[in-house]
Amino acid sequence: MQQLSIKIEMKTQLHHFALVLFGCWAIVLWTATPGLGLGPRMWLDPETLDLAPGDVATVEIHVDDVVELAGVEVHLTFDPALLDVVDADPSSEGTQIAHGDFLSPDFVVQNTVDPAKGTVDYAIAPMQLDKAASGSGVLARITFRALAEGETLIKISGALLADTEGCPIEVETGSSVAVISRPSPSAGVWALIGLVAAAVVAGSIAVAWVAIQER
């Protein structure tokens, strides 16, 4: 009888331990997984750009955990003194960004970039409701060119998502930081510059010596 009581008590303790362990595991998983349990999220990838003036890099507009997305409108801002947008469609008038592969851009409401103000306005929708998208993916891609040294925030200034019934979908938004700096030449570059300069000087001396000998 006593052994039976001990066994029951051990099983109860193991059960409690398993519950605590599962609870801790769930908390760790929830905190470690981006966007888990937080609903739809729109964000920019990468979240940081490290560019030198003249460099180009592409930023993707991602959306996560949406259900029956049937329309999207997003507005971005950036510092036009530091960044410029590379036109994704040179054959069309103005500057546009590239479509993503998550939501079909059958109906392009707006796709404009104002290089003077540093704004991007983008709105698309599929023509058929059965093309509504669920899950996660890339809505659009923006290729930036660094113009000068400095630091600027590429910011999602506004976003509107709608489902198949035209109802708004609440979404959390994130921004991206572009760090633009002019890297100084490395030791190897300085050594190469020194070798080239020495070669030029040596060549000039040789030419002058030949000219003196020929006189």
Side-chain angles (χ1 to χ4, degrees):
M1 189 69 179
Q2 185 176 3
Q3 291 181 351
L4 179 61
S5 299
I6 293 174
K7 289 182 178 180
I8 294 175
E9 184 177 355
M10 289 180 63
K11 287 183 179 180
T12 302
Q13 291 178 352
L14 288 173
H15 178 69
H16 289 166
F17 175 76
L19 289 177
V20 172
L21 183 62
F22 177 79
C24 294
W25 174 82
I27 292 173
V28 170
L29 179 63
W30 183 80
T31 55
T33 305
L36 184 61
L38 299 178
R41 176 174 177 249
M42 183 182 293
W43 55 287
L44 304 178
D45 181 44
E47 296 181 346
T48 300
L49 295 176
D50 190 0
L51 306 175
D55 288 351
V56 296
T58 298
V59 174
E60 296 180 336
I61 304 176
H62 282 256
V63 65
D64 293 337
D65 301 327
V66 294
V67 178
E68 293 188 343
L69 177 65
V72 60
E73 178 180 342
V74 58
H75 306 278
L76 286 83
T77 59
F78 60 91
D79 188 345
L82 301 180
L83 291 173
D84 187 24
V85 175
V86 179
D87 191 5
D89 186 9
S91 62
S92 299
E93 184 180 356
T95 302
Q96 293 88 33
I97 64 176
H99 302 297
D101 50 13
F102 182 66
L103 186 64
S104 180
D106 300 330
F107 183 39
V108 180
V109 182
Q110 192 175 23
N111 185 359
T112 57
V113 177
D114 190 328
K117 295 181 179 179
T119 58
V120 177
D121 301 298
Y122 183 75
I124 61 170
M127 294 299 292
Q128 300 175 353
L129 293 181
D130 59 0
K131 289 186 177 180
S134 297
S136 304
V138 178
L139 291 173
R141 295 177 175 88
I142 312 169
T143 300
F144 288 98
R145 178 184 290 109
L147 301 177
E149 297 180 61
E151 182 174 329
T152 181
L153 182 69
I154 304 170
K155 182 180 181 182
I156 300 177
S157 57
L160 176 63
L161 277 60
D163 60 18
T164 54
E165 297 182 357
C167 297
I169 301 174
E170 293 187 7
V171 60
E172 175 191 358
T173 59
S175 299
S176 180
V177 176
V179 179
I180 306 165
S181 59
R182 189 183 302 277
S184 59
S186 63
V189 173
W190 283 119
L192 180 60
I193 293 174
L195 289 175
V196 172
V200 170
V201 172
S204 300
I205 294 175
V207 169
W209 176 256
V210 171
I212 291 173
Q213 295 296 320
E214 292 178 350
R215 288 182 181 179

